[in-house]
Amino acid sequence: MSSTINGAEPLLRAVGLSKHFPLESSLLATLRGAEAQTVKAVEAVSLDVTAGQTLAIVGESGSGKSTLGRLLLRLMQPTTGQVLYQGNNIFRMNRRELSAFRRQAQIILQDPYASLNPRMRVGRIIREPLDIYREGTVAERNKRVDALLERVGLNSAHARAYPSELSGGQRQRVGIAAALALSPEIIIADEPTSSLDVSVQAQTLNLLAELQRDFNLTYVFITHDLGVVQHFSDRVAVMYLGKIVEEAPTETLFAAPQHPYTQVLFSAIPLPDPSRRVNWDLPKGEPPSPLDPPPGCHFHPRCPKVMSNCSTIAPRLEATAPGQRVACLLYADGAN
Amino acid sequence: MSLLSLRHLTTEFYSGGRWLEAVSDVSFDLLPGEILGLVGESGCGKSTIAYSVMRLLASNARISGGEVWLGDVNLTDASEDALQDLRGSRLSMIFQDPMTALDSLFTVGHQVIETLQEHLALDPPAARERALDLLRQVGIPAAEERLKAYPYQFSGGMSQRIALAIAISCHPQVLIADEPTTALDVTIQAQILHLIRRLLVEEQGAGVLLITHDLGVVAQVCDRVAVMYAGKIVEFGAVDAIFRDPLHPYTQALLNSLPSQGIQRGALENIRGRVPSLDDRPTGCRFHPRCPHALAICREEAPPLLRRDGGQEVACVLYD
Ligand SMILES: Nc1ncnc2c1ncn2[C@@H]1O[C@H](COP(=O)(O)OP(=O)(O)OP(=O)(O)O)[C@@H](O)[C@H]1O
Ligand code: SF4
Ligand SMILES: [Mg+2]
C-alpha cells in the first residue's frame, strides 16, 4: 500500500480498520465457553482520502459502507486498526484534540426526515453546533445561521419553520447547512441524495459541488448510486461483505473495472439509455449473509470467473496499476 | 387488442374538508406483451393509478370520473365479489414492500399453495408440485425446504421473488408492479426485472404496468412509457423515441437532471421550484411555474395530450 498515491499526504487515512459486531445470542454462548460469533461488518480496510477531493465508497446493502463511514468519524470504536486525521490516530486523541477533530469532520445523513429533530425549528438545528462550541455571541450565531441558510439556497424565513413544514430537498439543505456551520474540512455524506427525487437530487448535488469548490471541502460519499459516483467523485472504493475489493480513480474504474464483482455491479446498473440495453441475466445469486461469509474470496459463489483456489485463498488488495488496487486472484500474479 | 384501458380516469382524496384531485383525466392502453412504464416524481399520482385500477383505494379516496376496462369488464363499476375473483387471477399486483403481499403468520408454501388451489382448482398434491415449480422459476434455491419457511426468514430480494411467484401463479393477463425493486440492491433488481420480462411478458404474453421513478429502469426494461407530472400524463410514447427526443419540457428537464455517463462534474440541470402539492395545483399547464419555455397562455389553458406524427403524445402548447 502506498502512502502517497498522488504525492499529497492524505487528510484522512484508514489503516487495517476492522469492526466486528458480536451477535447477542452468541454472548450467552461465550459465557458457556463456546467461541463468540461475530458479524465482520468492516474487515481490514485501508484507504486514503486526499484533501479537497471526493472519495466514493460504494457497495450493496450489508457491505459495511455505513459502518466504515461511522468509524472514520469515531462515531464508534473499531475492533482493530486506526484512523489517522492529519497524521493523528483519532481513537487515541485526548479530549481537546477530539473536540477539534469533531469540528473539522462532519456528517450528512441519508434521511432528512429522520435525521433532523422534529421539535426544533430549523434555525435552532443549524445554530446548535455553534452553541455547543460557543462560537461568538448569540447575535453573531444568528447572523451566521442566516448566512448559512442563504448559502444552501434557503432564506431566513425558513429559520422559523419546523422540519415537517419543509420538502425533502429543503430538509436535506438544512442538514447540509448544519454540517457547514463550523466550517469543517471534511464531510462524510451517507447516501445524501438517495431519498430525493431526481430533480431535487440534482439541486443537492450541484450545491455540494459548489460548496466543495468554494471551501476546498473534502468529501467521503457513501452511496449505492453509481450515476452519482461517476458524476461526483475523484476516486472510488468498492466494498463487498466488509472488504474493499477494488479501489481506483473514478475514470479508470468506470472505463475498465477489474474486479469481477465491480464488473457485475456495473452491468446491473440500469443506464438511462435504451440504445444501450444490457443482459440482465448476468448477476447470479443473492449476496451471502455477513454472518457466514463464504471462505476464500467472499465473492466466489457468485463470481462468473471463479477458479478452483478462489474458495480457499482470500485475495489481498494489491496494486494492479498506478492508483488502482484489486483484491482478486485473477490479478494476483502480475501484482508483485 | 388492449388488455387494460384507462379512459379519463380521475381519482380524488378527501383531505382538509374537500376533495382534491390526485389523478386527472388519465387515459392509456396496456397492450399484450409489453412493459409500460409509469414514471414521475414522488406524489405525482403513480400509485394512485395502480390502486384505482385494482380498486384498492384508501377509504378517503374515490374514483370521480372515467373508466378502467380489463378486457370487457368495467373495473370501475364491478362488484366486490367480481373484483375478488379477478385480483390474483387475470389481474395481479406486486408492491415495493413484498411483505405487503405475504402473511407473516403462514409459511411461504402455505400461501403459494393456497393461492393456487383457490384460483386454479388444483388438488393439494398438484398445487404443491406447481408451487415448487414456481419457486424454482423465480430463482429460489432449495425450493423444497423454502416452502416450509416463514416470510421473516427471507431477505428482501427473496420475498420479492415469492411475491412474484404468487403474482404469476395464475397466469395473469395484467401485472401491476408498483416500484417492485426500489428497495432492493441493483444486482437483485436486475434479476427481478429480468424475471418479470421473461416469465410474464415473453412466455405468457401478459402486459405489465411498471411504476418507477427510476429512468434507468424505464430505459432498460420498458417498451413504452407515460411520464406524469402533478396528476397528469404529460408525455407518452415509445421508450426509444422519448429518450432520444423528449418533447415535453418536463421530460427534457428530468432527463437532463440525471447524473451519469460522461457528464462528469458539469452542473446538473435544475428544475427550479418544487413539485406543487395537491391543494396547490397551478392553473393552465401545471408545469408552467417551473417551465423555462412557458408562454402567457400556459397560465390559462391546460394543454391536452395530443398525438404527433411519429406517434409520440405530448401535452404542451409548444407542439399545438
Ligand atoms: N390516503 C390519502 N389521503 C390523502 N392524500 C393522499 C392519500 N394517498 C395519496 N395522497 C396524495 O395523492 C398524491 C399522489 O400520491 P401517490 O401515492 O399516488 O404518488 P406516487 O406518484 O405514487 O408517489 P411516490 O413516488 O412517492 O410513490 C400525493 O399528493 C399524495 O400525498
Ligand atoms: S404548456 Fe407551456 S408551461 Fe406547459 S410545458 Fe409547454 S411551454 Fe411549458
Ligand atoms: Mg407510489
Side-chain angles (χ1 to χ4, degrees):
Chain A
M1 203 198 50
S2 87
S3 61
T4 50
I5 281 169
N6 29 28
E9 176 70 16
L11 179 65
L12 191 72
R13 145 176 267 198
V15 185
L17 199 58
S18 297
K19 178 72 186 179
H20 300 174
F21 293 105
L23 280 186
E24 294 204 8
S25 58
S26 74
L27 284 176
L28 276 176
T30 325
L31 292 177
R32 282 196 233 101
E35 202 180 313
Q37 211 193 352
T38 58
V39 183
K40 295 180 178 168
V42 171
E43 182 64 2
V45 164
S46 296
L47 51 77
D48 292 351
V49 188
T50 309
Q53 291 204 345
T54 300
L55 170 74
I57 300 175
V58 303
E60 299 184 272
S61 57
S63 63
K65 51 193 193 307
S66 293
T67 305
L68 177 57
R70 278 160 182 70
L71 288 170
L72 292 178
L73 288 179
R74 194 177 154 171
L75 298 178
M76 54 172 67
Q77 290 289 326
T79 306
T80 55
Q82 311 180 349
V83 173
L84 305 177
Y85 180 72
Q86 293 173 332
N88 296 324
N89 185 353
I90 63 172
F91 300 110
R92 289 277 161 75
M93 285 178 171
N94 63 31
R95 260 171 87 189
R96 202 173 37 87
E97 290 167 327
L98 189 61
S99 157
F101 171 69
R102 293 229 182 281
R103 293 184 64 128
Q104 288 172 30
Q106 297 287 327
I107 191 162
I108 300 174
L109 292 168
Q110 162 174 14
D111 188 355
Y113 297 80
S115 58
L116 303 179
N117 184 339
R119 280 181 295 276
M120 271 195 208
R121 289 182 203 272
V122 162
R124 258 294 293 294
I125 293 174
I126 299 173
R127 215 184 64 193
E128 195 167 55
L130 300 169
D131 290 343
I132 292 172
Y133 282 89
R134 300 179 202 286
E135 286 283 295
T137 64
V138 171
E140 281 165 347
R141 288 175 209 164
N142 286 335
K143 251 180 88 182
R144 173 101 176 117
V145 168
D146 283 351
L148 286 163
L149 281 168
E150 198 79 34
R151 192 66 201 73
V152 298
L154 299 170
N155 58 53
S156 46
H158 289 113
R160 304 189 45 76
Y162 287 98
S164 61
E165 298 167 66
L166 303 180
S167 72
Q170 290 174 324
R171 277 183 258 220
Q172 195 52 285
R173 284 162 194 267
V174 173
I176 294 170
L180 284 175
L182 295 165
S183 310
E185 295 277 326
I186 180 164
I187 292 182
I188 302 211
D190 192 352
E191 304 273 8
T193 59
S194 51
S195 63
L196 305 176
D197 271 322
V198 281
S199 73
V200 187
Q201 166 174 291
Q203 293 167 0
T204 310
L205 290 176
N206 286 345
L207 172 65
L208 288 170
E210 242 175 73
L211 295 170
Q212 180 166 48
R213 262 197 320 273
D214 293 355
F215 302 122
N216 192 36
L217 283 171
T218 307
Y219 289 136
V220 175
F221 238 74
I222 298 166
T223 179
H224 66 274
D225 185 331
L226 291 155
V228 171
V229 169
Q230 188 173 18
H231 178 77
F232 207 84
S233 64
D234 300 291
R235 294 184 63 77
V236 189
V238 182
M239 289 186 74
Y240 188 76
L241 281 184
K243 292 188 178 178
I244 295 181
V245 296
E246 182 161 9
E247 196 213 340
T250 306
E251 266 175 60
T252 314
L253 193 78
F254 278 82
Q258 290 189 325
H259 196 282
Y261 173 65
T262 316
Q263 292 168 354
V264 163
L265 186 67
F266 282 17
S267 74
I269 316 166
L271 296 176
D273 181 354
S275 67
R276 286 159 68 198
R277 288 202 170 180
V278 292
N279 173 13
W280 275 6
D281 209 5
L282 183 67
K284 53 176 182 177
E286 297 250 335
S289 154
L291 272 181
D292 186 21
C297 170
H298 289 345
F299 187 57
H300 85 262
R302 303 176 76 195
C303 181
K305 297 182 179 160
V306 62
M307 303 175 292
S308 59
N309 50 0
C310 296
S311 53
T312 49
I313 303 173
R316 292 167 29 151
L317 190 61
E318 283 172 303
T320 53
Q324 183 161 24
R325 299 188 296 160
V326 181
C328 170
L329 295 179
L330 284 171
Y331 305 92
D333 278 346
N336 26 28
Chain B
M1 257 321 289
S2 140
L3 295 172
L4 184 74
S5 298
L6 276 63
R7 289 287 167 268
H8 309 290
L9 177 71
T10 301
T11 304
E12 304 177 331
F13 289 105
Y14 192 76
S15 168
R18 59 203 169 117
W19 288 97
L20 303 168
E21 251 177 50
V23 171
S24 308
D25 193 18
V26 163
S27 301
F28 61 78
D29 287 291
L30 177 68
L31 306 176
E34 81 165 340
I35 301 185
L36 174 62
L38 191 56
V39 278
E41 296 181 277
S42 188
C44 70
K46 306 180 294 294
S47 296
T48 305
I49 290 182
Y51 289 103
S52 300
V53 171
M54 297 298 292
R55 291 279 311 276
L56 291 172
L57 285 166
S59 57
N60 65 330
R62 69 174 183 203
I63 295 175
S64 58
E67 289 163 0
V68 178
W69 291 85
L70 179 70
D72 54 4
V73 184
N74 183 351
L75 295 175
T76 34
D77 67 352
S79 69
E80 191 47 42
D81 276 353
L83 288 167
Q84 281 283 0
D85 279 348
L86 291 171
R87 287 186 210 124
S89 58
R90 285 172 66 187
L91 181 62
S92 262
M93 180 159 176
I94 54 178
F95 304 84
Q96 174 168 344
D97 177 6
M99 291 303 174
T100 319
L102 298 173
D103 191 328
S104 57
L105 295 179
F106 297 97
T107 64
V108 162
H110 179 89
Q111 299 181 55
V112 182
I113 292 169
E114 181 160 89
T115 313
L116 289 167
Q117 283 181 288
E118 218 172 273
H119 287 288
L120 295 183
L122 294 176
D123 59 26
R128 197 186 137 76
E129 261 323 294
R130 176 101 175 94
L132 280 174
D133 188 42
L134 278 165
L135 292 198
R136 285 188 203 109
Q137 280 186 43
V138 295
I140 290 184
E144 286 271 1
E145 282 159 47
R146 295 305 193 142
L147 279 185
K148 294 179 223 135
Y150 288 87
Y152 73 87
Q153 294 170 299
F154 289 82
S155 67
M158 281 292 175
S159 314
Q160 196 59 289
R161 284 176 210 270
I162 290 163
L164 183 63
I166 294 175
I168 66 175
S169 60
C170 305
H171 307 288
Q173 296 171 330
V174 171
L175 175 74
I176 299 185
D178 190 359
E179 310 257 9
T181 56
T182 305
L184 306 178
D185 281 331
V186 283
T187 56
I188 309 301
Q189 162 167 283
Q191 294 168 352
I192 300 272
L193 293 174
H194 176 77
L195 281 172
I196 291 179
R197 172 161 286 288
R198 189 162 56 80
L199 298 178
L200 270 157
V201 180
E202 285 167 10
E203 289 179 10
Q204 301 186 12
V208 177
L209 182 64
L210 180 65
I211 295 175
T212 177
H213 62 272
D214 186 336
L215 290 158
V217 167
V218 173
Q220 290 295 322
V221 295
C222 294
D223 302 292
R224 295 190 301 158
V225 61
V227 182
M228 287 191 70
Y229 184 78
K232 286 192 173 185
I233 294 180
V234 295
E235 185 157 4
F236 187 92
V239 165
D240 290 329
I242 288 185
F243 277 74
R244 196 182 332 111
D245 191 14
L247 297 176
H248 197 282
Y250 177 65
T251 317
Q252 292 169 353
L254 213 50
L255 286 170
N256 288 335
S257 67
L258 287 178
S260 62
Q261 304 100 56
I263 3 166
Q264 245 212 326
R265 288 294 160 128
L268 301 163
E269 180 167 328
N270 275 339
I271 310 180
R272 62 177 185 228
R274 56 193 271 203
V275 175
S277 63
L278 270 194
D279 55 359
D280 186 25
R281 293 260 158 96
T283 57
C285 170
R286 290 177 181 175
F287 189 55
H288 86 255
R290 310 178 70 191
C291 179
H293 309 292
L295 312 169
I297 188 180
C298 301
R299 229 174 308 144
E300 275 132 43
E301 273 175 47
L305 190 63
L306 293 178
R307 180 180 292 262
R308 306 190 69 237
D309 283 349
Q312 207 160 325
E313 294 173 41
V314 59
C316 168
V317 298
L318 300 176
Y319 304 93
D320 264 1

